[in-house]
Amino acid sequence: MNAIGVDVGGTKIAAGVVTPEGKVLNEVRYPSSGPTERLLSSIARAINDVKDGYEVGGACLAVPGNILATENRVIFSPNLHTIEGVDLEQEMRRRTGFDITVENDANAAAWGEFRFGAGARYDHLVFVTLGTGVGGGVITHGVLMRGAQGAGGELGHMTIQATGPRCGCGNRGCLEALASGTAIQRRAREVAAEEPNSALGRLAIERRVLGEDVTRLAEEGDEAALSVLEEAGLWLGIGLAGFVNIFNPEVVAVGGGVSRAGELILDATRREVHLRARSPARDLVKIQPATLGPESGVLGAAALARDESGEYVLGT
Ligand SMILES: [Zn+2]
């Protein structure tokens, strides 16, 4: 049967009806904001509207932050404080008639790639998403790794450089502080100041440089922009080398907005993994772009929805 995946972000809610084969039959988007009651109503409205006319067996919410999936509870969510501690199962059952489940958004996206995307033919996948921050998820032996408190798989906060830039989490030199979109922008501005005659440097004099500018200028061959992406790729490779040694994945899928830079980042990443990770794990692993794009959250959440008996609606 079909299931509903709901990607609950800080600014929008996307809900989709998904088939067991991973096809999205219907999708709705609503703004996500406001106090608890309004946010819960918006989520319920998304579920009720998207399922209209479809047979659906269950729904799962993908929420950013620290999620206790076993209790369907949001423990801590920086952008959605208003639903922390709420009994979502009961609140959603009352509003939609569904027994919903709740999962961390990066874990759900990883599960989406595992079921329907870059990891569909494998049992061992590491998923890394490079956006404003760096998120991730680990699937090993076909099981999503959550850890004792649902706080596992925070791949973006592995320390890569002891004295590196400060991270949003308070630590220094996290992967997120060196390879996220935010980190690339910061580094691009530094390089622009060092090389004012490069295309990157000239742009920085006109206006504030954004992540997409760096990718565009690198594609046009600007050495300064290329060096920024290569450096981010190198940091990413140092992080992935660690994950390859720890998890021995068949695939590392790299998604998120920054991954649009593709090989301009991943070339350096692969080189670094090959230098640092151990054989045979480094020889097996394929480091490749994620394939589902921003839909991975909705698809993965749908595949994590359970029916009344607690079974996955879309199977495993
Ligand atoms: Zn951090």
Side-chain angles (χ1 to χ4, degrees):
M1 205 188 287
N2 309 317
I4 295 175
V6 188
D7 198 348
V8 185
T11 56
K12 69 167 189 352
I13 298 164
V17 174
V18 179
T19 69
E21 296 76 35
K23 187 164 174 258
V24 179
L25 296 177
N26 191 23
E27 190 159 17
V28 298
R29 279 165 200 277
Y30 293 125
S32 146
S33 63
T36 311
E37 198 52 38
R38 195 157 71 191
L39 182 56
L40 292 175
S41 298
S42 301
I43 297 170
R45 184 157 69 101
I47 293 174
N48 288 327
D49 287 359
V50 82
K51 82 167 181 216
D52 196 26
Y54 296 93
E55 223 181 310
V56 171
C60 174
L61 312 183
V63 181
N66 184 201
I67 311 300
L68 202 50
T70 47
E71 293 180 16
N72 295 317
R73 218 150 38 89
V74 178
I75 305 294
F76 173 71
S77 183
N79 297 321
L80 294 164
H81 277 306
T82 53
I83 54 169
E84 287 169 1
V86 172
D87 186 341
L88 289 167
E89 204 176 346
Q90 195 192 324
E91 291 293 337
M92 285 300 131
R93 189 189 302 128
R94 188 158 66 77
R95 290 173 162 86
T96 68
F98 276 125
D99 285 326
I100 57 115
T101 49
V102 186
E103 185 57 69
N104 167 272
D105 61 343
N107 279 353
W111 192 253
E113 288 290 341
F114 173 68
R115 288 294 312 278
F116 307 121
R121 290 185 293 121
Y122 303 98
D123 295 323
H124 306 267
L125 169 80
V126 170
F127 172 71
V128 179
T129 171
L130 308 176
T132 316
V134 174
V138 177
I139 287 126
T140 187
H141 298 280
V143 175
L144 179 61
M145 199 202 80
R146 298 184 174 99
Q149 301 164 295
E154 284 291 345
L155 305 182
H157 298 286
M158 183 158 96
T159 303
I160 302 299
Q161 190 190 30
T163 56
R166 186 72 73 184
C167 181
C169 73
N171 186 26
R172 277 192 182 280
C174 288
L175 179 58
E176 175 165 308
L178 292 159
S180 63
T182 315
I184 288 172
Q185 278 187 34
R186 190 202 63 241
R187 188 66 188 127
R189 286 170 200 145
E190 289 170 4
V191 170
E194 287 161 17
E195 298 183 43
N197 293 324
S198 64
L200 187 64
R202 291 196 301 275
L203 180 67
I205 292 165
E206 284 170 33
R207 63 171 171 83
R208 197 174 163 82
V209 172
L210 302 174
E212 58 252 40
D213 296 322
V214 184
T215 305
R216 179 175 51 78
L217 293 174
E219 281 166 350
E220 291 168 7
D222 180 54
E223 291 292 337
L226 279 165
S227 75
V228 171
L229 293 182
E230 191 177 333
E231 193 182 303
L234 182 143
W235 292 122
L236 178 63
I238 293 176
L240 296 194
F243 307 149
V244 167
N245 282 339
I246 298 166
F247 300 113
N248 189 194
E250 294 156 293
V251 175
V252 176
V254 182
V258 175
S259 68
R260 275 182 223 121
E263 297 306 304
L264 296 172
I265 285 183
L266 293 185
D267 254 2
T269 303
R270 291 193 192 99
R271 211 162 47 234
E272 209 58 30
V273 169
H274 198 79
L275 280 170
R276 291 176 186 270
R278 286 169 57 92
S279 192
R282 70 168 186 220
D283 308 318
L284 173 80
V285 69
K286 290 190 199 48
I287 293 163
Q288 61 185 63
T291 61
L292 301 179
E295 292 283 279
S296 58
V298 164
L299 288 162
L304 287 163
R306 292 169 186 268
D307 63 20
E308 282 166 26
S309 63
E311 296 291 317
Y312 287 120
V313 176
L314 303 190
T316 49

